[in-house]
Amino acid sequence: MINTVVTLIKILLYCMVIVGIWMISSNYILYFLKVIKPRKTFRNNTQVSSSNMYKHIKRLILIVYGKDDDKKVSTFYLISILLFFLTFLVVIQRTSLIRSLVFAIILSLVPYLFLRLQLKQIRVEGSYEADILINEFLNQYKLNNQNIYDSIDETIVKMKEAPVMKRQLFIMSLKLKEYRRDEQLEEIIENFVYAVGTEWIILLANNIYIGITDNIDITTGLEDIQKEIKQAIADKEREKRINLESVSIVRYLTPVLYILSIILANSVFNISFREFLDYQINTRTGFNYFMLIVIMTIFNSSLLILMKKQKFDI
């Protein structure tokens, strides 16, 4: 028990030191990440390289939280770095250097994994709002004399049954009112496409982009998207849906089994909870198994969320 208290005190001290170092050096680190210029493209680009990691994280935060200020990016990096160093400094005392690095790297990726899972949920839910978005946007585009900006604003007001796409449209609308250069417009449209990541959103974004830059009537293009979405909905209803009720069972299976192992250790082997915890944390073998359980739980939960429901697309 004393060893556990000492470990907690060490973790607190490590946190204070790392936060202090970050407060001193964060501006320099973030500046370095921002000045690296990424190559601009206008597609549904899912690949991420080290040169545009800052932009990628900022885009994820914008889509998930609706804001892309540097403070949130800074907080993301701080949490990731804290998780890495804290995990490494705690685990290195109980296992080998290689395992400590592996565990630290995996746990430091948890904030990024969280953002990706949030993005996955937004993409799936938003993709099923395609028909509501296209129908309402097309109606408003006709009512507002082919004015893209007014059509977007009116669609946001009217589209109450599609909260995900309403939020993404609102984010795009705010950015469209602020942009000054073509490069900024491209980035705004790219963010809108990335939020859903489907073929129909690419077609819609291309039409919006053309309507803004070339000032031409995009009614025909919107009607074509509308037809394709209606056909895709009809095809989707004819498909057999996969029953994934077992997902919920598997999700809660690991913690339940872990609690049962504590109960069985006490009832069968007469091991108290304190002794179980001491073996799990303060011995190399027990700690290795504990870290393996944590990592596999994160991996399995993430995998189940990704597999639970697929995006709707044309």
Side-chain angles (χ1 to χ4, degrees):
M1 193 67 179
I2 295 177
N3 292 333
T4 305
V5 174
V6 171
T7 301
L8 292 175
I9 294 174
K10 287 181 178 179
I11 291 174
L12 181 60
L13 292 174
Y14 292 148
C15 283
M16 294 173 64
V17 171
I18 294 171
V19 170
I21 294 173
W22 176 260
M23 291 177 66
I24 295 172
S25 60
S26 60
N27 290 336
Y28 301 101
I29 297 172
L30 292 175
Y31 175 77
F32 173 76
L33 292 170
K34 288 165 67 176
V35 296
I36 301 175
K37 299 292 184 180
R39 182 174 61 88
K40 288 187 176 295
T41 58
F42 181 55
R43 282 194 58 81
N44 183 19
N45 206 344
T46 57
Q47 293 184 349
V48 182
S49 64
S50 58
S51 61
N52 63 0
M53 179 56 73
Y54 184 89
K55 178 182 175 182
H56 175 67
I57 297 300
K58 197 170 185 179
R59 175 178 286 174
L60 284 174
I61 292 174
L62 172 65
I63 294 169
V64 173
Y65 297 107
K67 296 181 179 179
D68 60 347
D69 57 287
D70 292 334
K71 288 184 179 180
K72 286 190 177 293
V73 181
S74 177
T75 302
F76 169 85
Y77 280 110
L78 173 60
I79 294 173
S80 300
I81 293 170
L82 274 175
L83 284 173
F84 175 82
F85 281 106
L86 288 178
T87 304
F88 179 77
L89 292 172
V90 171
V91 175
I92 191 64
Q93 302 176 35
R94 293 169 173 80
T95 187
S96 64
L97 175 63
I98 300 299
R99 288 180 179 176
S100 300
L101 285 173
V102 171
F103 290 152
I105 291 171
I106 292 174
L107 289 185
S108 68
L109 292 174
V110 168
Y112 179 73
L113 180 61
F114 174 78
L115 287 178
R116 294 294 306 190
L117 292 177
Q118 290 292 103
L119 174 65
K120 168 69 175 180
Q121 184 176 0
I122 290 171
R123 284 181 164 182
V124 171
E125 293 179 0
S127 67
Y128 284 90
E129 297 174 355
D131 57 329
I132 301 174
L133 171 60
I134 296 298
N135 292 339
E136 190 60 51
F137 184 71
L138 179 58
N139 290 336
Q140 295 303 325
Y141 186 71
K142 293 176 179 177
L143 291 173
N144 287 277
N145 299 317
Q146 290 76 46
N147 185 299
I148 294 287
Y149 300 99
D150 291 343
S151 300
I152 292 174
D153 291 340
E154 289 300 318
T155 301
I156 293 170
V157 174
K158 300 291 184 179
M159 202 169 58
K160 298 179 180 179
E161 297 180 357
V164 175
M165 292 312 305
K166 178 177 181 177
R167 188 166 184 263
Q168 297 306 319
L169 269 183
F170 180 72
I171 294 171
M172 183 173 68
S173 176
L174 291 178
K175 296 293 182 181
L176 286 175
K177 292 177 174 64
E178 299 172 355
Y179 92 93
R180 294 293 180 268
R181 301 188 306 273
D182 290 341
E183 292 81 4
Q184 292 176 321
L185 175 60
E186 289 179 6
E187 185 174 352
I188 293 168
I189 301 299
E190 283 177 0
N191 290 339
F192 183 63
V193 169
Y194 191 77
V196 185
T198 58
E199 290 299 321
W200 66 262
I201 201 72
I202 293 175
L203 295 174
L204 175 61
N206 285 332
N207 277 273
I208 292 174
Y209 182 78
I210 293 170
I212 292 174
T213 56
D214 298 340
N215 196 25
I216 62 174
D217 188 355
I218 59 171
T219 303
T220 303
L222 294 176
E223 289 175 346
D224 290 340
I225 301 172
Q226 186 182 51
K227 291 176 183 177
E228 291 195 40
I229 289 175
K230 287 181 179 179
Q231 183 60 45
I233 292 174
D235 294 339
K236 194 77 175 177
E237 290 176 352
R238 287 194 294 266
E239 292 177 359
K240 292 182 179 179
R241 297 188 177 272
I242 301 174
N243 186 4
L244 291 178
E245 293 178 355
S246 57
V247 169
S248 299
I249 298 174
V250 177
R251 181 183 300 171
Y252 300 110
L253 187 61
T254 301
V256 169
L257 288 177
Y258 187 77
I259 294 172
L260 285 176
S261 66
I262 300 175
I263 296 173
L264 288 173
N266 180 260
S267 60
V268 177
F269 300 104
N270 199 27
I271 299 175
S272 66
F273 175 72
R274 180 178 295 181
E275 292 173 331
F276 182 90
L277 190 63
D278 183 68
Y279 174 80
Q280 192 81 87
I281 296 177
N282 296 320
T283 65
R284 173 169 291 195
T285 303
F287 191 77
N288 285 338
Y289 277 113
F290 176 73
M291 291 304 298
L292 184 62
I293 290 171
V294 171
I295 291 171
M296 292 306 297
T297 300
I298 294 172
F299 175 77
N300 290 333
S301 299
S302 303
L303 188 62
L304 290 172
I305 292 173
L306 293 173
M307 293 174 59
K308 187 176 180 181
K309 190 177 181 181
Q310 299 303 314
K311 289 187 295 184
F312 167 81
D313 207 351
I314 55 178

